[in-house]
Amino acid sequence: MIHGKSLDEWCTRHPLIKQLVALEQVTWFNPAIAPAAVALADVGLTRADVRDASERLRRFAPYLALVFPDTAALHGIIESGIQPLPHLQQRLAQEADLPAAGALWLKKDSELPVSGSIKARGGIHEVLKHAEDLAVEAGLITLEDNYEVLSGDLARAFFSHYKIAVGSTGNLGLSIGIMSAMLGFQATVHMSSDARQWKKDKLRACGVTVVEYASDYSVAVEQGRLQARDDPACYFVDDENSPHLFLGYAVAAERLVIQFKHAGVIVDADHPLFVYLPCGVGGGPGGVAFGLKLVFGDAVHCIFAEPTHSPCMLLGVHTGLHDQVNVQAFGIDNVTAADGLAVGRPSGFVGRAMQRLVDGYCTVNDEELYRLVFLAHELEQVRLEPSALAGAPGYTRVLGDTAYLQRLGLSAAHLNNATHLIWGTGGSMVPATEFAIYLARGQALQAAHDLATSSPDTAAD
Ligand SMILES: *Cc1c(COP(=O)(O)O)cnc(C)c1O
């Protein structure tokens, strides 16, 4: 029994669950979405909170530029670029037998400095928030000071009395661990069994304590929480519930506004924006989507993408059970090659806060992710890890769903004016040997795909 009902009863009541359990690739557009003006109030955080996070990141910029030379080009602002993907767009449209309407773009969080993934937004913001709170309270800095002083021996000795703990599938651990160790904190990362060896090695090389578990992400998080509970000097970064992570992610939106302006990309009621966000526990995509809704309102449509083996946010929102349920309860194993997305239980905070602001959810299988890693590299020369491509199929899932588009009142003219942005959440730090394996796997899957989909006519040519 799952919450008082058998699996059969769940499947009868929610036919989509049957497909999820069968590990099919699905798309679900939530009919219960509401206008931004109404639903933003669900979140419990405001524009002022995002501004506060943004200003904090600005205060730390001189320090970051000093200690992380790869942030110096943007003067200590940790940000990634955008780029059009015309060739991948043509290919995806062709495969789905749809016209390649609008323009497909990539947000390259894979290239974010410090930790090479979207976690360099939220994770670093939360560590900086905690460091700032401690340092201000101790009289080490004021909000008006140049924070470069935090790189000195005095500040590092001060932070060394404090601990930071986090549970992670890898990327959040990298981001929290690297930032914490740089400031001088004693950092512990509780790693789930699916975390890659190179991430553990890198953290240990930075002086971070890595504790490994044979279980999944939820257990790693629980262990981090336990470590901090009985130790007043230990601060726990709560990936399942943290507003500071969420706000760090949300700052991305105001930066995207500037980037779109420079690129000549218009977003308004006649020029809709669709954003495809890979989703693990939900903080990253949730925070980014919150920021996007604040700046673009109803002109932006956010779609979350999850692996077929870990559809936790879709399951939580669709059933209304949120963090009261995990995918394992439905017999789904939560085993996927998509780093960062192998999460069985969604954030209850994000699921509830964002459910009327997120247009839809889609699931993608690992084979498709590898194939897309290969295609994106081959056609656009971009280097993304499998999880970072989870959003790519969203483009044609949206274009192919006439019921959804009609419900939104979007005509062919709107779609021709539309921008579709794949949030490329990670990849640049994947070691070359590992990336070569991804490419080889993707290439083999592409060859099989071409054989399976070529018509007898073309095969005979
Ligand atoms: C963590 C992560 C995500 C998703 O973020 P959540 O906050 O866990 O939902 C997406 N892509 C990559 C590469 C990640 O590391």
Side-chain angles (χ1 to χ4, degrees):
M1 299 295 274
I2 311 157
H3 281 260
K5 290 199 252 312
S6 70
L7 182 58
D8 276 351
E9 285 174 272
W10 276 109
C11 292
T12 310
R13 185 182 285 223
H14 301 280
L16 185 78
I17 290 181
K18 199 168 171 172
Q19 290 174 279
L20 289 181
V21 170
L23 305 175
E24 286 174 28
Q25 302 193 102
V26 303
T27 310
W28 178 60
F29 293 102
N30 187 354
I33 53 165
V38 175
L40 277 168
D42 298 350
V43 181
L45 296 166
T46 64
R47 200 178 295 275
D49 295 318
V50 180
R51 195 176 314 124
D52 181 56
S54 173
E55 283 166 6
R56 177 169 302 105
L57 292 169
R58 218 163 270 287
R59 289 194 291 278
F60 272 98
Y63 166 79
L64 293 171
L66 189 67
V67 299
F68 294 118
D70 56 343
T71 69
L74 291 181
H75 308 288
I77 294 296
I78 297 173
E79 194 44 76
S80 70
I82 54 173
Q83 93 172 48
L85 300 174
H87 308 289
L88 185 63
Q89 174 176 5
Q90 288 302 328
R91 177 67 69 102
L92 293 174
Q94 187 193 337
E95 285 181 0
D97 207 8
L98 290 164
L104 187 68
W105 287 72
L106 175 68
K107 178 65 175 163
K108 295 202 274 186
D109 272 10
S110 48
E111 307 282 322
L112 278 176
V114 185
S115 67
S117 83
I118 188 171
K119 302 300 192 308
R121 298 183 182 279
I124 287 178
H125 174 254
E126 178 143 12
V127 174
L128 296 180
K129 160 100 174 93
H130 182 55
E132 185 179 63
D133 288 350
L134 290 173
V136 167
E137 193 185 294
L140 220 54
I141 50 167
T142 69
L143 299 187
E144 286 71 40
D145 285 345
N146 183 331
Y147 284 13
E148 282 179 8
V149 63
L150 296 177
S151 66
D153 291 343
L154 190 70
R156 287 183 50 83
F158 168 72
F159 289 128
S160 75
H161 296 295
Y162 296 93
K163 299 175 197 160
I164 292 189
V166 67
S168 171
T169 61
N171 285 342
L172 184 65
L174 268 187
S175 163
I176 301 277
I178 292 171
M179 189 68 250
S180 302
M182 181 58 82
L183 282 158
F185 285 107
Q186 300 174 48
T188 305
V189 176
H190 298 264
M191 284 284 204
S192 56
S193 57
D194 49 286
R196 310 267 167 183
Q197 190 61 42
W198 66 268
K199 295 180 185 173
K200 301 175 201 170
D201 295 344
K202 192 168 177 71
L203 281 171
R204 288 185 173 127
C206 295
V208 173
T209 304
V210 177
V211 188
E212 300 178 55
Y213 297 91
S215 330
D216 82 350
Y217 165 85
S218 302
V219 172
V221 171
E222 207 37 53
Q223 291 301 316
R225 191 175 279 132
L226 279 178
Q227 183 200 349
R229 198 186 55 190
D230 303 320
D231 183 352
C234 185
Y235 179 85
F236 174 60
V237 176
D238 187 348
D239 196 18
E240 292 178 321
N241 297 294
S242 167
H244 303 304
L245 280 177
F246 190 83
L247 292 168
Y249 292 119
V251 172
E254 63 180 40
R255 312 235 182 106
L256 184 65
V257 169
I258 297 167
Q259 292 179 318
F260 272 168
K261 197 166 148 204
H262 283 284
V265 173
I266 302 169
V267 181
D268 60 26
D270 295 324
H271 302 76
L273 169 65
F274 294 87
V275 182
Y276 306 97
L277 294 148
C279 178
V281 72
V288 170
F290 175 58
L292 291 170
K293 280 289 175 187
L294 282 172
V295 300
F296 296 120
D298 297 325
V300 66
H301 305 279
C302 300
I303 287 96
F304 285 8
E306 296 178 293
T308 48
H309 285 252
S310 309
C312 66
M313 188 61 75
L314 170 50
L315 188 68
V317 172
H318 190 69
T319 57
L321 292 172
H322 298 291
D323 56 346
Q324 300 305 303
V325 73
N326 60 20
V327 299
Q328 291 93 337
F330 283 85
I332 302 169
D333 64 8
N334 189 30
V335 175
T336 168
D339 289 21
L341 309 188
V343 177
R345 184 186 302 278
S347 159
F349 155 59
V350 172
R352 291 185 185 89
M354 296 300 295
Q355 58 186 332
R356 295 202 293 167
L357 293 165
V358 176
D359 274 31
Y361 306 80
C362 59
T363 65
V364 187
N365 65 39
D366 281 10
E367 289 71 28
E368 214 38 24
L369 294 178
Y370 281 120
R371 198 172 71 79
L372 288 161
V373 167
F374 169 72
L375 282 180
H377 186 259
E378 187 79 358
L379 300 174
E380 306 285 358
Q381 293 75 51
V382 290
R383 189 187 164 89
L384 297 164
E385 59 185 278
S387 43
L389 267 310
Y395 170 56
T396 51
R397 307 269 183 104
V398 163
L399 290 185
D401 198 311
T402 44
Y404 163 62
L405 295 171
Q406 269 174 13
R407 170 156 62 78
L408 294 184
L410 295 178
S411 65
H414 287 115
L415 295 179
N416 285 332
N417 290 337
T419 301
H420 299 261
L421 182 67
I422 297 173
W423 211 278
T425 45
S428 67
M429 289 191 28
V430 174
T433 47
E434 198 121 343
F435 191 68
I437 296 170
Y438 294 167
L439 281 184
R441 195 163 295 171
Q443 184 163 23
L445 287 159
Q446 183 61 43
H449 181 270
D450 287 346
L451 276 174
T453 54
S454 66
S455 67
D457 289 355
T458 41
D461 284 348

